[in-house]
Amino acid sequence: MNFEPHNLLVTGGAGFIGANFVRHWLYTAGHGKVVVLDALTYAGNPENLASLAGDPRYAFVRGDICDEGLVREVFERHQIDTVVHFAAESHVDRSILGPDEFIRTNVVGTHSLLKAAKRAWLDGKGVAAHRFHHVSTDEVYGSLGAEDPPFHEATPYAPNSPYSASKAGSDHLVRAYHETYGLKTTVTNCSNNYGPFQFPEKLIPLIIINILHGKPLPVYGDGLQVRDWLHVADHCAAIGLALTRGAPGEVYNIGGDGETTNIHIVHSLCSLVDEHLARNAELRTAFPMSPAATGGKSQQLVEHVRDRLGHDRRYAIDFRKAARTLGYAPSRDLQTGLAETLNWYLIHEAWWRPLLGDSYAKWIDKNYSPSRLPSMPPTAAAPAILPSVPPPSEPVPGR
Ligand code: NAD
Ligand code: DAU
């Protein structure tokens, strides 16, 4: 039977996927009230939700999911019957340099939410119709070899980074609250998201912004690591389906049918930016340091740097269960999604420019400076998995 959420608590709703989900839910899925609980860490940005200001179906609470008193109060005040839990420390590189915050938010924070949900929905009078949806990652399954079959829901957990270990811990707690107490939970484990509003520490926005500024494009190791790329809009649609059609206690893997190497992503973005600048004089004026502004090629910026510690070689997702039981199917191929995403970043400089301040510069310095290995040989030309670039779906307006 389908579940109909009424009052949703969306944790981490000011982050990349959370903000896309809140807008997706209110504008397309369309029912219920959404309360966002977000601590506004470096990754949380009120601008991501600015278009919802004044919408009576939406409320924002700034706070920490580890604050049990606050979480309990939000449940009571807003009569929450549904949790969609995004809040997390999400960047693998940051987890390598500082794991503590990942354990606190991802493990302790998830437990704080589970306790509040149990108290509100199961203890005392209870709320029979409820859902706790936990947003997790394919990284909990570890790393695949080139010929291995993709991750499926029964693949044993083998997390390799502090980030993925903390997500694995949270997944196990969610499972335990279902098995032990009967909490109606669903979990989605998905692949690498990309699209609008992604903080420029992650590969795709980092590369776009570095190309525009003529800065080095840091490729870890040989760049032949494989990820499955999932457009954030498809991920949000999948979460909506899991919430309303998913069965309590079930786990669903969500993929984008977009397996490719990192170096291919980087080369594709280089070609896309070069084509945009070749066509558009305003962009050449706006980004004079980008190689294509002066007739050069962005690929000359590629720098192979020391590999990420414990770097997973390949992720791939078998999402047949979600297709069969939820009706999920990704709507965008990677080529279209990358072109749209680049276009979004070109149009929304006013969104990303303020993010490149002191704390961002410190992060870039901390993560990249010691790891440069200028002596590494350049990678052989990557196989052209993506065909040549299509025209962008929207024109880039004057700036
Ligand atoms: P993000 O880093 O962009 O956003 C995280 C959000 O959580 C931010 O708004 C931040 O302020 C908030 N937050 C962090 N700590 C908090 C705390 N203690 N209390 C309240 N709010 C807090 O992350 P994202 O990329 O949008 O990822 C969202 C979720 O999806 C995460 O759980 C992540 O593990 C999972 N996931 C992400 C991807 C991906 O490719 N980005 C893929 C699979 C799964
Ligand atoms: O697979 C799902 C996961 O995808 C999510 O659980 C994480 O929250 C999300 O951050 C993402 O993790 P990755 O580590 O795969 O994403 P990231 O964008 O950091 O890196 C993608 C690939 O690109 C990875 O193989 C590392 C590589 N990389 C990344 C950066 C930032 C580089 O080569 N250079 C870089 O500078």
Side-chain angles (χ1 to χ4, degrees):
M1 204 178 72
N2 286 1
F3 170 69
E4 187 176 330
H6 292 290
N7 297 324
L8 292 86
L9 173 61
V10 178
T11 71
F16 162 48
I17 308 174
N20 276 284
F21 176 78
V22 171
R23 282 194 312 277
H24 162 81
W25 186 262
L26 289 176
Y27 293 153
T28 62
H31 47 86
K33 182 170 94 180
V34 171
V35 180
V36 168
L37 174 62
D38 198 297
L40 297 182
T41 68
Y42 78 93
N45 184 349
E47 286 302 313
N48 298 357
L49 295 166
S51 64
L52 294 170
D55 189 325
R57 300 169 301 165
Y58 161 72
F60 182 83
V61 178
R62 182 172 188 175
D64 188 335
I65 56 168
C66 298
D67 181 343
E68 294 186 16
L70 172 68
V71 173
R72 198 182 310 150
E73 189 197 315
V74 171
F75 264 81
E76 282 167 10
R77 190 173 357 126
H78 295 281
Q79 298 291 293
I80 297 299
D81 60 21
T82 305
V83 169
V84 188
H85 176 33
F86 295 95
E89 287 295 331
S90 69
H91 193 33
V92 173
D93 292 320
R94 288 187 195 252
S95 85
I96 294 167
L97 291 172
D100 297 80
E101 202 51 33
F102 286 72
I103 306 307
R104 198 187 81 85
T105 289
N106 300 2
V107 182
V108 179
T110 300
H111 190 225
S112 159
L113 291 166
L114 287 165
K115 280 200 280 187
K118 173 177 174 289
R119 183 177 179 279
W121 300 338
L122 301 179
D123 299 346
K125 205 156 68 123
V127 178
H130 66 256
R131 276 296 185 282
F132 188 109
H133 183 77
H134 177 56
V135 180
S136 193
T137 171
D138 58 0
E139 300 202 9
V140 297
Y141 299 121
S143 185
L144 293 168
E147 304 303 324
D148 289 338
F151 300 131
H152 57 89
E153 287 78 1
T155 301
Y157 274 30
N160 291 319
S161 71
Y163 162 71
S164 54
S166 69
K167 291 297 288 186
S170 64
D171 291 9
H172 292 321
L173 284 168
V174 172
R175 177 189 159 87
Y177 267 67
H178 172 72
E179 294 295 329
T180 304
Y181 305 113
L183 197 73
K184 292 175 182 166
T185 60
T186 44
V187 178
T188 42
N189 292 84
C190 75
S191 51
N192 283 59
N193 283 222
Y194 70 101
F197 298 106
Q198 188 167 31
F199 190 82
E201 64 188 352
K202 305 284 166 62
L203 183 70
I204 289 176
L206 177 92
I207 294 297
I208 291 173
I209 288 170
N210 281 15
I211 296 173
L212 294 176
H213 292 99
K215 292 191 171 164
L217 310 180
V219 173
Y220 296 157
D222 62 10
L224 296 177
Q225 305 85 359
V226 171
R227 296 290 182 268
D228 171 54
W229 293 94
L230 168 66
H231 194 280
V232 67
D234 286 328
H235 184 201
C236 292
I239 292 170
L241 290 170
L243 206 54
T244 52
R245 297 185 189 170
E250 290 298 321
V251 173
Y252 303 94
N253 281 357
I254 309 297
D257 236 347
E259 251 191 89
T260 196
T261 59
N262 293 339
I263 192 69
H264 185 252
I265 292 282
V266 173
H267 286 173
S268 300
L269 290 171
C270 288
S271 308
L272 279 164
V273 173
D274 291 355
E275 290 186 21
H276 269 283
L277 266 65
R279 276 199 305 267
N280 187 326
E282 279 182 63
L283 286 177
R284 291 197 294 278
T285 308
F287 300 109
M289 303 306 286
S290 195
T294 48
K297 293 268 182 223
S298 298
Q299 271 196 36
Q300 74 196 42
L301 299 172
V302 170
E303 256 189 38
H304 290 263
V305 298
R306 192 180 66 180
D307 210 349
R308 175 186 276 176
L309 298 178
H311 199 172
D312 290 332
R313 193 67 180 165
R314 174 176 168 241
Y315 305 143
I317 287 264
D318 176 346
F319 59 85
R320 283 177 296 179
K321 177 178 173 185
R324 197 177 60 248
T325 60
L326 304 178
Y328 166 73
S331 68
R332 278 177 185 74
D333 61 82
L334 180 55
Q335 175 194 331
T336 310
L338 274 185
E340 283 178 7
T341 301
L342 169 62
N343 213 34
W344 190 88
Y345 279 86
L346 289 174
I347 292 170
H348 292 89
E349 183 183 353
W351 177 84
W352 54 260
R353 177 71 63 194
L355 304 177
L356 312 181
D358 284 353
S359 81
Y360 182 77
K362 276 191 192 128
W363 163 251
I364 294 294
D365 194 44
K366 185 173 173 188
N367 192 49
Y368 295 97
S369 288
S371 64
R372 289 272 163 77
L373 273 192
S375 59
M376 265 194 74
T379 325
I385 301 171
L386 299 182
S388 76
V389 170
S393 53
E394 300 173 67
V396 178
R399 300 149 35 82

